[in-house]
């Protein structure tokens, strides 16, 4: 066996370890795993944002794994309300933005395994290109063309009894660009519209792009939401965590099943992500 063979094996081992951080300890299973998804559809070769597109096959494999391993699912507001009595291995499945495939591709799989989900809906979501609100260079990158849920389709999701509708601002605003009044309109207005339109209570909020400041946290609190999720990666103890800054576990369209399995254990796939 040549020395090069050993060196190459060693480098592969270093790469694998960095990518998957396999040595990390599992986070206490009493803390719920809050999973963040966007679209459940095939990736589009060559397009941006494929990390937001989880294929229906991968999604079903993930939900089936949760089902087979006796994870219990909750909506975000249920998990908050029942934080004192959540069993070990509880999971909250969340979808941001309001893509149509949440109904056409995700709901049948959720129904098949009896899993619930929370969908954070942008009110003004049709023909709006929010890709560039965070980084101008992302404008026109394709999220605008992704079909979004119609109001009737949102009602169909609600009728399933498995779905909670949360708010995600009126226009998928970058809250860091807004003054207090503008933020208030976006954050409180989205809740009011959802409640009026769909005759439901709206308790849960997700910060668009995961971007927010102290002013926005206060507004979320004052508008009588009970909880808000971020895009910060991690698994939190809902007892000690700030209810308006809850981290989530990102499920990426680029994750293989091993990465998903690691993320359920530690909240992250590797050293950084
Ligand atoms: Zn979003």
């Amino acid at each position: 066996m040549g020395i090069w063979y050993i060196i190459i094996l060693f480098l592969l081992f270093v790469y694998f370890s960095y990518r998957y951080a396999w040595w990390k300890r599992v986070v206490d299973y009493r803390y719920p795993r809050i999973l963040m998804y966007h679209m459940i559809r095939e990736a589009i070769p060559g397009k941006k944002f494929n990390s937001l597109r989880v294929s229906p096959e991968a999604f079903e494999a993930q939900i089936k794994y949760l089902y087979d391993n006796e994870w219990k699912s909750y909506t975000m507001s249920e998990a908050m309300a029942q934080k004192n009595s959540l069993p070990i291995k509880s999971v909250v499945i969340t979808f941001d933005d309001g893509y149509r495939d949440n109904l056409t591709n995700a709901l049948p799989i959720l129904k098949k395994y009896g899993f619930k989900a929370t969908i954070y809906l942008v009110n003004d979501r049709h023909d709006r290109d929010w890709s560039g609100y965070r980084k101008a260079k992302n404008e026109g990158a394709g999220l605008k063309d992704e079909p979004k849920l119609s109001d009737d389709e949102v009602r169909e999701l609600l009728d399933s009894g498995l779905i909670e509708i949360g708010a995600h601002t009126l226009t998928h605003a970058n809250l860091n660009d807004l003054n207090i009044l503008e933020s208030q309109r976006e954050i409180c207005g989205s809740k009011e519209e959802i409640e009026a339109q769909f005759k439901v209570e709206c308790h849960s909020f997700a910060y668009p792009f995961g971007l927010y400041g102290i002013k926005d946290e206060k507004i979320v609190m004052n508008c009588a939401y009970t909880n808000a999720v971020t895009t910060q990666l991690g698994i939190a103890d809902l007892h000690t965590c700030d209810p308006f800054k809850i981290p989530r576990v990102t499920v990426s369209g680029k994750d293989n099943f091993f990465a998903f399995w690691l993320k359920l254990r530690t909240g992250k796939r590797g050293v950084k992500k």
Side-chain angles (χ1 to χ4, degrees):
M1 202 178 348
I3 184 80
W4 285 109
Y5 184 72
I6 293 167
I7 289 172
I8 287 166
L9 265 186
F10 176 74
L11 289 176
L12 277 172
F13 177 74
V14 169
Y15 168 77
F16 180 81
S17 297
Y18 179 79
R19 187 168 166 90
Y20 293 113
W22 49 269
W23 64 86
K24 277 200 198 167
R25 285 186 51 184
V26 59
V27 174
D28 198 323
Y29 281 121
R30 283 173 302 179
Y31 305 164
R33 274 49 175 167
I34 302 168
L35 307 182
M36 177 176 74
Y37 293 91
H38 285 76
M39 289 167 260
I40 302 301
R41 58 157 294 168
E42 299 299 333
I44 309 174
K47 278 259 191 180
K48 271 196 176 178
F49 297 119
N50 275 331
S51 61
L52 305 184
R53 299 183 179 100
V54 173
S55 74
E57 293 70 30
F59 183 67
E60 175 150 14
Q62 293 161 5
I63 300 299
K64 183 175 186 309
Y65 174 84
L66 293 170
Y67 175 85
D68 288 344
N69 289 277
E70 295 173 349
W71 288 75
K72 299 277 174 297
S73 93
Y74 295 83
T75 65
M76 197 54 228
S77 61
E78 284 174 350
M80 279 311 285
Q82 298 172 42
K83 65 180 177 185
N84 294 320
S85 56
L86 287 177
I88 59 161
K89 290 193 178 175
S90 26
V91 63
V92 179
I93 295 161
T94 70
F95 296 93
D96 286 13
D97 303 342
Y99 298 97
R100 178 173 292 153
D101 57 47
N102 295 177
L103 172 74
T104 54
N105 293 343
L107 185 67
I109 295 168
L110 294 171
K111 272 187 179 164
K112 183 169 167 186
Y113 297 96
F115 272 58
K116 297 177 177 180
T118 297
I119 297 178
Y120 297 103
L121 192 69
V122 176
N123 303 75
D124 182 1
R125 59 194 172 278
H126 304 287
D127 293 319
R128 177 174 280 282
D129 187 7
W130 56 71
S131 324
Y133 292 4
R134 173 157 66 170
K135 287 186 202 148
K137 71 173 168 89
N138 284 341
E139 210 177 300
L143 292 185
K144 181 175 174 240
D145 304 327
E146 290 290 345
K148 312 295 190 309
L149 292 161
S150 69
D151 291 349
D152 280 343
E153 288 168 334
V154 173
R155 287 187 191 98
E156 211 178 317
L157 283 160
L158 284 166
D159 287 345
S160 74
L162 296 173
I163 304 295
E164 170 190 24
I165 298 295
H168 198 41
T169 74
L170 292 171
T171 66
H172 207 286
N174 179 345
L175 295 170
N176 284 347
D177 284 348
L178 305 186
N179 65 32
I180 290 180
L181 282 178
E182 291 165 334
S183 272
Q184 215 155 19
R185 207 184 108 67
E186 287 280 351
I187 295 170
C188 308
S190 54
K191 173 180 163 74
E192 285 159 17
E193 266 194 27
I194 285 169
E195 292 185 339
Q197 216 165 2
F198 303 115
K199 312 274 181 283
V200 290
E201 286 183 30
C202 178
H203 298 294
S204 305
F205 182 79
Y207 300 100
F209 310 108
L211 297 176
Y212 59 98
I214 294 169
K215 76 170 193 320
D216 306 302
E217 284 171 51
K218 287 189 178 147
I219 293 168
V220 171
M221 214 183 310
N222 292 337
C223 294
Y225 288 103
T226 62
N227 70 87
V229 292
T230 64
T231 58
Q232 202 208 317
L233 299 182
I235 297 166
D237 176 359
L238 289 182
H239 287 98
T240 51
C241 158
D242 183 333
F244 300 106
K245 278 187 192 173
I246 302 173
R248 288 187 283 179
V249 178
T250 310
V251 184
S252 163
K254 294 174 181 170
D255 287 344
N256 55 30
F257 190 80
F258 181 54
F260 174 78
W261 181 83
L262 279 171
K263 284 178 170 182
L264 274 182
R265 291 169 60 83
T266 65
K268 292 176 187 177
R269 179 199 73 191
V271 173
K272 285 189 174 165
K273 295 202 234 183

